[in-house]
Every structure is written in C-alpha cells, then in structure tokens.
Amino acid sequence: MDIATFQAYGYFFFTAFLVAVLYGYIYHLYSAQKKGTRDYEKYGNIALHDDITDQPIEEISKTDEIKK
Amino acid sequence: MFHWLEKNPFFFAVAVFVVIAFAGLIEILPNFAQASRPVIGTKPYTTLELAGRHVYIKNSCNACHSQLIRPFKSETDRYGHYSLSGEYAYDRPFLWGSKRTGPDLMRVGNYRTTDWHENHMKDPAGVVPGSIMPAYRWMFKNTADIDTAYAEQLTVMKAFAVPYNAEIPMVDGSKATVTLADTVEGARASALEEAKVIAADMKDQDVKDAVAAGQVPEIVALIAYLNSLK
Amino acid sequence: MENRPLEYDYTVAKWFMLSTIVLGIVGMLVGVILAWEMAFPAVNTIAGEGLAEYTNFSRLRPLHTDAVIFGFTLSGIFSTWYYIGQRVLKVSMAESKFLMFLGKLHFALYLLVVVAVVGSLLLGITTSKEYAEFEWPIDIAVVVVWVTWGMGIFGLIGIRREKSLYISIWYYIATFLGIAMLYLFNNMEIPTYFASGGIGAWYHSVSMYSGTNDALVQWWYGHNAVAFGFTVPIVAMIYYFLPKESGQAVYSYKLSLLAFWGLMFVYLWAGGHHLLFSTVPDWMQTMGSVFSVVLILPSWGSAINMLLTMKGEWQQVAASPLIKFMVLASTFYMFSTLEGPIQAIKSVNALAHFTDWIVGHVHDGTLGWVGFMIMAALFHMAPRIFKREIYSKSLMGTQFWIQTLGVVLYFTSMWIAGITQGMMWRAHDEFGNLAYSFIDTVAVLQPYFTIRAVGGTLYLVGMFLFAYNMYKTMTSSRRVEESELQNASPMGA
C-alpha cells in the first residue's frame, strides 16, 4: 500500500469518525438538556456572574461529588 | 464522555490539537517527496542570481508581483507558458505572491532586457507611462551581499542535495553545469565575472565604476536574477 | 492570610491595552500611507529621496500587515485574555506570584520582539513569507513569548475556582495551540551562517521547503493564521463581552460548543483556496474550495448566536455605542465569512485572485470585525480596570459612524477595483488578442485607490478619537463605584 492510498483511507475513516463524534455530541447536548441530567445553558452565566466574590456556577471542589 | 472532556483542560487541549492537526497531516506531509522534483531544464541559481533574489526579497517585490502563471488563455497570452510545479524546485522560499499590483514576473527574462530593467528601476513611469511603481534608485548605490548568497548555496547543496557542480539535463538534450566555488573568495570572483557581463549592457556610470572596482551593486544582482526568470 | 478582600489584578491587561492602542495607530498609519502611495505614487518619496528606501510601498507593506496582526490584534488578544481569563475562571492573578511574574515577563518579551520586528522589516530583513517574515532569531524569540503565554494560560486554569471552562477559554486555548503548531511548521528554516561555517549574514536563513511545498505550507499557515488570529480569539472576546455588556446570557450555549468544534475541524482544510489554479495537486485545491464553503456553517453558528443574544434587547443597540460596535462586528463577521467562501469557488477565484477584491475581503473582516471587536473590548474593560467611566459617549458614537463609513468606502471601492481589473485582464478582442495591456488595467483603478485611501484615513481618524477617549478615561474621567460596573459600562456625556 503506497502512501497515497494510506492517506486516502486514513482521511476517510478519521473524517467519518469525527463526523460520528460530532453528531453524537449534538445528540448528547440536547438529550442531556431535555432529560434534565445536565443543564448546559447555565454555563452561559459564567460570564454574567464573574466577580471574584460571586459563587462559582460549579465549584471545583464540590463537583466531584455531583453525580453524573 | 463529552462532559468529562469539557472539564479536563489537558485532554481538551489534546482533542483540539488532534482535530486541527489532522488537516495538515493529510494534506501536506505526503506531498513532499513528489512536488520537489525539478523539470528538465530547471537549473539552480548562480551566486549572483541568488544575491539578486535576496535583493528581490529584501524589497518585497513579491508584495506586488506574482511568479505564478495560471492555466488560462488570458494568462498564457500575457506571460507565457503556465507554471509547472518542478520549475520551482530550487525556490526557497517560493515567491508566488498573492497580489498583482504589477504584472507577473515568472518569465520576465524572456521579454525584458538588462537595459529595460535599468531604465525602469530608475524611473518606472518614464518607461511605462502611468506606472504606479516606485523608483528603486538606492539599488544603484547599495552593494549586494554576495557572501550570504554563497552561504545559502553551500547550505542547500549540503542539506537538500541541490545539484551544484553536477550535470543537469536541458530541454534540447545537452547538459549544463552550474558551478559553485570552493571558497567564498572564489564565489566573489565568479559573481563579479557575471556582474561584468550585466554591467556591460548598462549605462549608469556609477554602476560601471563600481563593478570595475570589484563591487557588485544591488541592481546588477537583481537584473541577473530577473534575466534568469524564463 | 491577610484580610484584604481579594481583587482581580489587571496590571498585565492594562499594559497590553496600551500596546494595543499604540501599535494599532502605528499599523493603521502605515496602512494609510500605503493606500495613498497606490493612489498617488509621489507619496513614495514623501520623506525625501534619501529615505525613499524606507518609505516606499514594498518596504512598508510587511510592516503594515505585521503591525496590525501581531501588534494591534495580538496585543488585544493578550489584553483580553489577562482580563477575561481571571474573571471566568474566578481566580485573581494576585493569588499567584509566579503567574504574575509570567504575565509581566510575557509583556516585556513581547515588547522586545516588537522592536526587533519593526527594525528588521524596515531594514529589509525578511523571509518574504507573508505574516511569517521574521528571520530565525526573531522566530525563536516569538516561540519563547508564546510559550510564556501558554504557561500563563494553563497555570491560571490550574488554580481556577470555576470547574467548567467558559466557551471563551476554549477559544483562547485553541488560539494558543493553533498558532503554536502553524508557526513552528511554517518557519522551519536553516540558518545559513552556521550551515556554511560562518559565511555571510548571521541572521539569514533558508526555508526547509522548496517551491510548491513551501507554498503549500505557507498558505496552510497564512490561512490559518487568519483563523487563529482573526477569528478564534475574536470570537472568544465577543462570547464574553457582548453577554456581559448587555446583561444577556449567550443565546444558546450548546450552539456555541458545537460551532467551536465545527470551526476547529473545518478551518484547517480551507487553506488550499489560496492556491487555486496553481501547481499544487488538484484534489487539494478542490478540498480547499469545498471546505471553504462548508466553513460558512460554523462561522454563522457563532455569528447568529451573537445576534440572537440581543433578542428582545435591540433597544440597547440604539442606546449604547459599545453594543453598536459589537453588533456591527458580528454582522461584518457574517458578511466576511460569506464573502470568503464565495471567493473560494473556483470560477470566482479565477477572476478574483491577485486582484484588489481579495484586499477588500481582508479589510472588511479586519476593520469591521476584528478592529471593532477589539475596540469594543477595550472600551468595556477600561472602566473596570481604571475604575472610571468611559470619558465620552458622544465621542464613541462619532467614532463609530466615522469608522463605519470608512470601512464601507474601503470594501466597496476594492470590490469594484478588483472585479474591474479581473475582467480587464481576461478580456480578448474579436481576433482573440488581449484587449488591454497591463498598465491599462492599473490606470483605470486610480479613482478606486483614492476612495480606498479616504476610507482608510477615516478609519485612522476614528482610531485617534478612540485613543483620545481612552486616554481621558484613564486619566481624568469621573470615578465610579463597583456597583456601577455590573453590566452596561458607565459612560460620560
């Protein structure tokens, strides 16, 4: 197998893989939001409540205990 | 899985890198061996020509002039045969340019002469009425850097096996050789010999005097380079 | 520890803010000089025949591009990083002496590189590769600056309080990684002085790639330097500043995440569109063309997300010049990311390539999108950093309209110039001969070059107004309390 063939197969499969991952990601984002397992939109508030005295949206020490 | 990625800066960075590096890996790397083979008749630059190329780069001529003829009738009519990949085999860096404020120069050596360039570089609008190109009069005074050109020749011969002092096949079946001096003094001498041929066709007395005194003004090197573009 | 309340430390952000303004004026001033030189060639010798070498178009052109890219834009990116980074990670640089030191070192090294670049480009020391003109000693210094910045980024992330990384941080990380990869590979070069055993100029180098390969690597870099310099970090800014200034959370955070990955994957493939009809393999040209069109999707994903963030709040656009800047910036982003793919279509590119249309495209993106967004960011940051209100709202409004007019004059004139010249180059008469000599196609552009120069000058005038407004904000504006700084920035009359 010469390099061009290898290149073509590599390109095809990796792109297919990334497309699958991207669609999986889209599905994950919206289904998690709908089922209520994870609220992505709340992260938008990171920009709005960003004073150093504000409560973090997800505190770094606590999140380890949060399930899922 | 996805959520884990969003919270792990390290693995996130790795993922971003994989995604952005992929295109380069596929597009660029495998092409390398193929594209750098010279076509028949393409010679490496002589010391003076390369010094001229450095003058071309120093003054960013490539900001306004391309060296890439696209395969359209209007371009081949105007500039000559369209460009072939192998013709650029010894171009480090490439000088295709991205804007044609002035015309393409890929084959300017076919239809312009030393005399034309001399007049044009002094006063572009005097030769081409309406030209918006600035004059480059300092090139008649500044001295070209022959040593650096020679250093570059040595470097590319060692590192990339550019065929100096070797037989190169020409289109008509003959062989040509571009010689490279053993020492920097030898390179200066051979560049001066070449410069004398160019200066003989020039009118500027200062340039003639400088060459007679063993100096190579930038303009002479530049014209040698432009004449080599064919 | 002491009981003094913890505050964000904006020292480094402030320094980079100053360099953004100064280098912005320098870069744009050089650009305006270039524009007048094209309209009136006599301007080339404006400083006299003796200095013509340093004032003529070709010597100044790389200085213009590099000053606005690596001076103005990059300073703006660094300044906003040292501001946004702390805030969305909820950690102050004052908490780590090491990060503070890195930040200051970053700025100092950056200034050194700027000085070296300006000097070397004026002297004509260049590798000729667009936006990568620097010779090897400067390249090494650039890498050091970049690594310093990277250590600062990941250091700050390492001590953060906010677990999730806000979308802007994603974009900053991508900027860091993308430029690092591109810059390194495009600047692979061998110093000739050392390779030849000490002959010639010590700073000279020769590219490791030749001809077509060199072009391929260069435009993979050149295109993506635009991606990771003019798109990715500017999107990072707008994702923070527009929500913060308007008090509206991003319209769809999920869409912002998707657009991010889409942009990351697609952008890198599009570089081939700079090389259509050249000697690079056909499949790469086609790939570049196709991916350029696909690129509309993730670009518009971000832009539409920004405009929708203003949903129901459009009265703010009328009321606040700061919001105006950002909304117009995202509009220009949409416009520019539609124009680019159109130019990447092969048949259009055959006409547009090598003409002023490309120059017009670059400038509606940079002046309209990058310039406006960076200035808006600085306007938003200034009251928070200096604890003073923005000196003059009416001056901001004036600046907005002057610069908008400038941008419109710029890109409309360049459209006409580019398409006119492209059509004339290819025109044949009834016998199949070329209808125009090259100089005919140059002479016809003179009015458009003049309009463009006027447009550029207007933008520069706006830049001076901006600098004046910022200067007054820093020094003599009314002092404000923390409570006034929540969302909309306080502005004086």
Side-chain angles (χ1 to χ4, degrees), chain B residues 8-169:
Chain B
N8 277 289
F10 176 73
F11 290 105
F12 169 77
V14 172
V16 171
F17 188 76
V18 168
V19 172
I20 60 180
F22 176 44
L25 217 59
I26 293 293
E27 278 198 325
I28 294 177
L29 281 183
N31 190 45
F32 267 38
Q34 290 176 351
S36 52
R37 267 178 293 178
V39 294
I40 291 188
T42 303
K43 289 183 289 185
Y45 296 103
T46 66
T47 312
L48 187 67
E49 287 164 5
L50 196 60
R53 198 167 191 270
H54 290 165
V55 175
Y56 188 96
I57 289 171
K58 179 180 174 188
N59 289 286
S60 290
C61 302
N62 52 303
C64 294
H65 295 279
S66 59
Q67 287 190 24
L68 176 76
I69 303 170
R70 297 179 293 170
F72 309 144
K73 181 178 187 306
S74 57
E75 300 228 338
T76 53
D77 279 3
R78 202 182 290 278
Y79 306 118
H81 195 284
Y82 57 82
S83 305
L84 302 174
S85 183
E87 293 181 278
Y88 300 113
Y90 304 121
D91 278 14
R92 293 171 192 270
F94 79 113
L95 290 173
W96 293 2
S98 57
K99 174 76 173 48
R100 272 185 199 149
T101 303
D104 189 273
L105 300 180
M106 173 96 190
R107 305 190 195 285
V108 70
N110 284 338
Y111 48 86
R112 297 289 185 230
T113 58
T114 300
D115 173 52
W116 190 92
H117 285 305
E118 181 187 10
N119 293 325
H120 187 250
M121 298 304 282
K122 256 188 190 165
D123 180 18
V127 178
V128 183
S131 172
I132 60 170
M133 177 169 144
Y136 286 82
R137 297 194 186 98
W138 59 87
M139 286 184 189
F140 291 76
K141 301 197 177 66
N142 292 359
T143 305
D145 189 348
I146 302 293
D147 289 13
T148 302
Y150 176 65
E152 185 174 319
Q153 285 180 305
L154 277 183
T155 307
V156 295
M157 188 168 76
K158 275 190 220 162
F160 309 113
V162 170
Y164 285 112
N165 298 328
E167 286 193 335
I168 297 159

Side-chain angles (χ1 to χ4, degrees), chain C residues 335-392:
Chain C
F335 172 64
S336 189
T337 51
L338 180 65
E339 186 187 19
I342 289 174
Q343 292 180 333
I345 297 169
K346 274 191 161 187
S347 52
V348 180
N349 190 268
L351 176 75
H353 194 52
F354 289 136
T355 73
D356 284 300
W357 189 8
I358 308 295
V359 180
H361 166 60
V362 175
H363 283 84
D364 55 53
T366 47
L367 299 176
W369 156 242
V370 179
F372 274 20
M373 188 56 227
I374 289 179
M375 287 187 291
L378 264 54
F379 271 135
H380 176 95
M381 283 152 52
R384 277 89 183 164
I385 292 179
F386 299 102
K387 302 282 180 276
R388 291 174 188 271
E389 68 179 5
I390 295 172
Y391 173 68
S392 168

Side-chain angles (χ1 to χ4, degrees), chain B residues 54 58 143 145 148 151-152 218, chain C residues 116 119-121 123-127 133-140 189-194 198-207:
Chain B
H54 290 165
K58 179 180 174 188
T143 305
D145 189 348
T148 302
E152 185 174 319
E218 284 186 337
Chain C
S120 70
L121 289 181
L123 290 173
I125 299 168
T126 161
T127 63
E133 282 95 350
F134 323 131
E135 274 293 1
W136 68 269
I138 300 181
D139 285 338
I140 291 174
E189 55 211 0
I190 303 178
T192 54
Y193 181 80
F194 299 106
I199 300 172
W202 62 274
Y203 48 76
H204 184 72
S205 67
V206 59
S207 174

Side-chain angles (χ1 to χ4, degrees), chain C residues 91-349:
Chain C
V91 56
S92 170
M93 286 185 68
E95 290 175 70
S96 163
K97 282 206 173 66
F98 177 64
L99 289 178
M100 201 63 213
F101 168 75
L102 271 187
K104 289 176 177 173
L105 181 70
H106 178 207
F107 181 76
L109 291 173
Y110 172 80
L111 270 197
L112 279 179
V113 171
V114 166
V115 171
V117 163
V118 172
S120 70
L121 289 181
L122 279 177
L123 290 173
I125 299 168
T126 161
T127 63
S128 91
K129 292 191 184 183
E130 280 180 81
Y131 331 126
E133 282 95 350
F134 323 131
E135 274 293 1
W136 68 269
I138 300 181
D139 285 338
I140 291 174
V142 168
V143 171
V144 173
V145 169
W146 207 252
V147 169
T148 314
W149 185 45
M151 284 161 64
I153 292 178
F154 287 101
L156 204 63
I157 290 175
I159 59 168
R160 71 194 189 278
R161 291 203 178 76
E162 184 71 72
K163 177 102 180 164
S164 266
L165 303 179
Y166 185 62
I167 184 70
S168 294
I169 304 290
W170 292 31
Y171 278 99
Y172 281 112
I173 292 177
T175 302
F176 169 73
L177 291 173
I179 300 274
M181 171 184 81
L182 296 161
Y183 198 85
L184 277 179
F185 280 98
N186 190 42
N187 285 292
M188 288 293 163
E189 55 211 0
I190 303 178
T192 54
Y193 181 80
F194 299 106
S196 65
I199 300 172
W202 62 274
Y203 48 76
H204 184 72
S205 67
V206 59
S207 174
M208 299 247 283
Y209 320 114
S210 77
T212 303
N213 288 336
D214 201 32
L216 201 58
V217 179
Q218 158 61 24
W219 284 111
W220 174 71
Y221 165 83
H223 176 72
N224 294 307
V226 174
F228 291 97
F230 283 164
T231 304
V232 171
I234 315 297
V235 172
M237 291 179 203
I238 199 163
Y239 270 130
Y240 173 81
F241 288 112
L242 187 63
K244 184 68 181 171
E245 179 71 24
S246 67
Q248 304 291 306
V250 177
Y251 172 71
S252 168
Y253 196 78
K254 292 191 283 292
L255 179 58
S256 73
L257 302 184
L258 290 178
F260 174 83
W261 288 109
L263 197 74
M264 286 305 114
F265 179 68
V266 178
Y267 223 126
L268 273 288
W269 293 93
H273 68 219
H274 288 260
L275 301 169
L276 298 182
F277 301 108
S278 76
T279 63
V280 307
D282 257 352
W283 69 270
M284 277 183 214
Q285 300 185 18
T286 307
M287 196 87 103
S289 199
V290 169
F291 271 101
S292 301
V293 176
V294 178
L295 193 53
I296 297 177
L297 288 172
S299 307
W300 280 43
S302 294
I304 288 176
N305 210 352
M306 280 306 109
L307 294 179
L308 283 175
T309 298
M310 295 308 295
K311 201 169 100 177
E313 291 289 326
W314 289 99
Q315 79 282 357
Q316 287 200 33
V317 181
S320 162
L322 221 171
I323 302 266
K324 273 199 194 78
F325 271 111
M326 290 196 269
V327 168
L328 196 75
S330 51
T331 313
F332 267 112
Y333 181 51
M334 289 182 78
F335 172 64
S336 189
T337 51
L338 180 65
E339 186 187 19
I342 289 174
Q343 292 180 333
I345 297 169
K346 274 191 161 187
S347 52
V348 180
N349 190 268

Side-chain angles (χ1 to χ4, degrees), chain A residues 19-42:
Chain A
V19 168
V21 170
L22 184 67
Y23 277 87
Y25 189 49
I26 296 174
Y27 178 77
H28 160 78
L29 284 178
Y30 284 86
S31 71
Q33 182 91 41
K34 203 167 187 180
K35 278 189 255 160
T37 47
R38 181 156 300 286
D39 178 13
Y40 274 95
E41 295 306 326
K42 76 174 178 212

Side-chain angles (χ1 to χ4, degrees), chain A residues 32-60:
Chain A
Q33 182 91 41
K34 203 167 187 180
K35 278 189 255 160
T37 47
R38 181 156 300 286
D39 178 13
Y40 274 95
E41 295 306 326
K42 76 174 178 212
Y43 297 129
N45 292 326
I46 295 178
L48 295 180
H49 306 292
D50 63 345
D51 278 334
I52 197 135
T53 48
D54 284 339
Q55 184 65 28
I57 306 298
E58 276 180 349
E59 201 139 1
I60 197 148

